[in-house]
Amino acid sequence: HSRGMAKDQIEDPTGAMEDYSKAMKAQPDYYVFYFRGTTKGKSEDFAGALEDLNTAIELNDSDPEAFSYRGVAKLELKDYPGALQDFNKAIQLKPDFANAYFNRGVCKGKIKDDYGAIEDFTKVIEINSNDAEAYFNRGGAKFNLWDFEAACPDFKRSLELGKEDARRYYPRYCR
């Protein structure tokens, strides 16, 4: 599976998939399913990613990354309850897993749980105070709740950190 990983690193998903599939025939193990699943996810084959990540988790149910990636696949497939379960499990396994908190916040936003999304994006910011995306998304959740006064500092900070999308909100709604 090392060749597949190398091809994935140089952004050759087709080559990576071929190598993972060959490795799977030779010696199917957790890593082959995990890496092929993440590669499928990067290629927006979320159903295929879900299938491989399900198998990876059956083989090793203690890797928070696998749960987080599977949560992303479920999120993209609009299985929000399943995605939340996976992000919760990833966080249970690794309590400082900023990416899982971030993706759980996105998922909560999709189901209109803006207060929950704010909590998750706040946790991401506690872990990494320079995460422009977390500030932007937390501002967006506050914006959705019509709390412009609270959203504006987040949009401003995300803009300072290089998130250009914040320009759509900050000048228009903030003074």
Side-chain angles (χ1 to χ4, degrees):
H1 66 269
S2 296
R3 265 183 41 177
M5 289 172 54
K7 288 182 180 176
D8 195 23
Q9 290 288 325
I10 61 169
E11 297 185 17
D12 175 12
T14 303
M17 293 298 299
E18 289 171 6
D19 286 342
Y20 291 139
S21 295
K22 286 177 189 171
M24 196 170 288
K25 288 178 186 169
Q27 183 179 1
D29 68 4
Y30 164 77
Y31 293 104
V32 174
F33 284 102
Y34 170 81
F35 287 117
R36 191 173 80 164
T38 60
T39 300
K40 285 180 178 179
K42 291 175 194 170
S43 300
E44 297 187 8
D45 174 9
F46 300 112
L50 181 60
E51 186 178 319
D52 282 348
L53 291 165
N54 283 339
T55 303
I57 288 169
E58 286 174 18
L59 295 170
N60 176 4
D61 66 356
S62 64
D63 183 357
E65 296 278 346
F67 282 99
S68 185
Y69 272 111
R70 188 173 75 174
V72 170
K74 289 178 179 179
L75 176 64
E76 293 293 337
L77 294 168
K78 295 181 176 32
D79 174 8
Y80 302 128
L84 286 173
Q85 272 187 319
D86 282 346
F87 297 135
N88 289 340
K89 182 65 175 180
I91 291 165
Q92 177 190 346
L93 292 168
K94 185 177 175 185
D96 64 343
F97 193 0
N99 200 34
Y101 281 104
F102 182 90
N103 288 321
R104 189 173 74 175
V106 169
C107 188
K108 287 178 179 179
K110 296 280 188 190
I111 60 172
K112 308 293 185 220
D113 177 9
D114 290 304
Y115 292 107
I118 290 167
E119 287 178 17
D120 283 340
F121 295 129
T122 299
K123 184 65 175 177
V124 174
I125 292 165
E126 288 171 6
I127 296 168
N128 177 7
S129 63
N130 292 318
D131 191 318
E133 291 286 334
Y135 281 102
F136 180 75
N137 282 286
R138 186 174 73 175
K142 292 174 180 179
F143 185 87
N144 290 341
L145 295 169
W146 295 86
D147 190 352
F148 302 137
E149 190 174 325
C152 287
D154 284 343
F155 289 142
K156 180 181 181 188
R157 182 69 179 133
S158 71
L159 192 55
E160 291 168 353
L161 292 169
K163 178 71 176 164
E164 289 301 312
D165 288 348
R167 289 194 191 287
R168 290 188 318 216
Y169 298 94
Y170 187 70
R172 181 182 288 168
Y173 298 102
C174 307
R175 300 198 187 330

